[in-house]
Amino acid sequence: MKKLLFTTIICVGLANASFAQLPIYLDDNQPVEKRIDDALKRMTLDEKIAVIHAQSKFSSPGIKRLGFPDFWTDDGPHGVRPDVLWDEWEQAGQTNDSCVAFPALTCLAATWNPQMARWYGDCLGEEALYRGKNMILGPGVNIYRTPLNGRNFEYMGEDPYLASAMVVPYIQGLQSKGVAACVKHYALNNDENYRHQVNVIVDDRALHEIYLPAFKAAVVNGGAWGIMGAYNLYQNQHNCHNDILLNKILKKDWGFDGVVVSDWGGCHDTEQAITAGLDMEFGTWTDGLTMGKTNAYDLYHMAEAYKNLIKSGKYTEKELNDKVRRVLRLFFRTTMNRHKEYGFLCSEQHYDVARKIAGEGVVLLQNQHNLLPMQLEGKKKVLVVGENAIKMMTVGGGSSSLKAQKEILPLDGLMNVLKNRYPQLMVDYARGYVGDTVQSYNGVTVGRRIADYRPADVLSNEAVEKARLADYVIIFGGLNKSDFQDCEGHDRRQYDLPYGQDELVEALCKVNSHVVCVNISGNAVAMPWYKKVDAIIQGWYLGSESGEALADVLLGDVNPSGKLPFTWPVKLEDVPAHRLGAFPGEWRENHDIIDEEYKESIFVGYRGVDKWKTKPLFAFGHGLSYTTFGLGKVTADKKTIRMGDNISFSVSVTNQGQRVGAEVVQLYVRDLKSSLPRPVKELKGFQKVVLQPGETQTVTINLHTDDLKFYDDSKGEWIAEPGEFEVLVGTASDRLSSSVRFTLN
């Protein structure tokens, strides 16, 4: 007993002494880089190796001896994913890991409102803090190259300028809470089928002008603390350890000081991981894990294998110290940040933000005869049709699958409003079609039972007969988050709607002239019936407040102001990558790698529309309103500028209707003469403005001469050539009502 007491007294004494004179790495008043230097000097080789790879599915170890806590990541980007078991993908079965499901990032991009992105990041950061997460694996900014990509719903559309403008405030909001963003998937990750084998062949212009700008903005303007490498290859090297993308472009050219995290299982080679830019390895599926060995995580490429190469003398600790230095910087920004807030989970404010983003991102694609908003005074019956009216969409789809505290389904959201506002109205439901009735993912099971085993013709006939007597028919269709639809790991097999929905819509239109189609998806779909339907709404995956947000728009409580963040083609052959036979790629002779050449180069989306003069079903930037807007003539504050100058463009916007509404003024630039081929026009500015009925405001958008540059691949640099430029201003890429020219000297 006396010996034990003596030991305790000694320990307390040492603790008191340490608080009297803190080590530099523990002193918040010291510069961060000095704290990093001090901690690095104190670490053993084993401790350095430990912090650069995982210890569980979603965590990496801290430095227990030095007081650094473990580091916890979690999937996003639409909410904080439920906790899984230590070594498995199945859910841990906790009761306090539900979350608010925010709208998918396609919806966020469709708001064309950077303030929405900031609120999104703020709220997500607060939920992550409450859950003890130090890094959210998101947001995603891969470019929408083809509507068949199963993961497009997680990204921000086809245009690098729009994606850049929306990703920066998201990151700033998230990291303002002390939670790291991990922007993904860097880069060229535009396939899900065989994603580990796709080797992208792309010219330098397309790489720098189309596929990298949003990542660059995330790093340079957003200050992202993490970047996730992609599964695919570029120049025959996997992107989680790619010397060109990671060392040269990301770290050297852009000055990235954060960590490069492998996508889960994206690390393939120890020596490439050492030298080609990877900093933290997660999720590698080793023989150790397969066999259930206790030292499975020590078998990672950046674990024992790396340490043994150092011990053998093949490598020094030079590369290791750079990786550890970056990890320590991440620790000081997150786990060692003693000034973080506590966070909130499922707060009223978070639900309010989710509903606001959802309502502002919904796109009114078509509204013939002003069918919407619904006019229900004196009406007797509304018929709701479709599986997507009753199917939960917060589960499934891959890593963004969530365990939402609640998800208000479209049918429920509409019925809740209608029964209170129009008690005389009957709201009926008909299934119409059966798609995927599974309502679970990785152990999370939610929602009402939706299995229906009736034949397809019985379901369709029931809907048609009910539609004959309805004042309005609202069909909630589209895609879902099942395999080969909007889902990680699989690309779509067809552009058409699945489950016989096209035939169902045609049949409904024959018996009722007031049909509203609400397309729930993260992708464009074929709509061969669009001329027969008066109203079409793009409803995205809207998260927890889905039903309420859609009801808000249908009933006119929210005036839609969303704009498409991608081009909506009539048919798949109109998409540049498919027009040129450049998606998917071709297997090599030994069938180990797929080479996929981006033959369309910089002419993605609306750039391709202009080049090949195709007519989309709905153009990039398209979105209607329940009011009308008029734009004046655009003017420039200068006629001539020099390199380094700014130039401002102003245009008046008037709400000419009877409802308050928001319009997005879009500014595109055309280079009238260039030494290299350039798109007919490129988005270089936008601003959303809210106007009362009859109100006029002047919108001013500034350009810098850097916005006029293109990437000259022969010189390996961005250049702007002197000459005449034209600015085109309007409300969609195919609705540009005014233009003005200026000269760059």
Side-chain angles (χ1 to χ4, degrees), residues 358-399:
E360 195 161 326
V362 167
V363 182
L364 181 61
L365 296 174
Q366 185 163 288
N367 195 23
Q368 302 294 338
H369 309 114
N370 293 319
L371 183 63
L372 293 177
M374 297 166 67
Q375 304 297 319
L376 296 174
E377 294 295 340
K379 298 297 189 287
K380 296 179 180 180
K381 182 178 178 181
V382 170
L383 176 66
V384 175
V385 179
E387 180 174 285
N388 281 358
I390 61 170
K391 181 175 175 60
M392 297 189 77
M393 297 294 187
T394 56
V395 291
S399 63

Side-chain angles (χ1 to χ4, degrees), residues 69 111 300 303 432 490 550-551 563 598 636 645 696 701 733:
T111 69
Y300 276 24
H490 299 281
L550 289 170
K563 300 283 186 175
Y598 286 23
D645 285 353
T696 298
I701 298 175
S733 62

Side-chain angles (χ1 to χ4, degrees), residues 619-640:
F620 171 79
H622 169 79
L624 305 178
S625 171
Y626 295 151
T627 187
T628 56
F629 297 93
L631 269 63
K633 183 172 176 56
V634 63
T635 60
D637 68 341
K638 302 170 185 174
K639 292 184 178 180
T640 303

Side-chain angles (χ1 to χ4, degrees), residues 94 118 162 211 233 291 306 332 358 361 380 443 462 494 510 513 564 578 608 695 742:
Q94 297 181 4
R118 176 61 194 238
L162 176 63
Y211 297 101
L233 300 88
M291 302 304 294
Y306 189 178
F332 284 122
K380 296 179 180 180
E462 177 193 53
Q494 60 186 27
K510 287 180 180 179
S513 60
L564 286 177
H578 296 273
E695 182 183 4
F742 67 96

Side-chain angles (χ1 to χ4, degrees), residues 298-346:
D298 292 335
L299 301 179
Y300 276 24
H301 294 286
M302 298 223 300
E304 291 292 328
Y306 189 178
K307 185 169 69 172
N308 290 336
L309 287 174
I310 291 176
K311 286 185 172 182
S312 71
K314 183 164 187 179
Y315 290 94
T316 67
E317 292 187 39
K318 176 185 176 183
E319 295 89 355
L320 176 61
N321 286 341
D322 177 70
K323 299 177 194 298
V324 175
R325 183 179 297 279
R326 292 172 179 273
V327 173
L328 288 173
R329 189 176 293 118
L330 181 64
F331 286 173
F332 284 122
R333 287 167 167 168
T334 57
T335 60
M336 296 293 283
N337 178 1
R338 306 180 201 280
H339 306 291
K340 287 186 295 187
E341 303 171 22
Y342 289 101
F344 300 91
L345 189 66
C346 299

Side-chain angles (χ1 to χ4, degrees), residues 345-365:
L345 189 66
C346 299
S347 71
E348 293 86 348
Q349 180 195 29
H350 294 175
Y351 283 114
D352 288 344
V353 168
R355 185 169 176 175
K356 174 68 173 173
I357 294 169
E360 195 161 326
V362 167
V363 182
L364 181 61
L365 296 174

Side-chain angles (χ1 to χ4, degrees), residues 492 495-497 502 524-529 568-572 617:
R492 295 167 63 194
Y495 187 48
D496 298 329
L497 284 171
D502 289 332
V525 299
M527 292 182 173
W529 35 259
W568 198 297
V570 174
K571 56 187 184 299
L572 198 59
L617 189 60

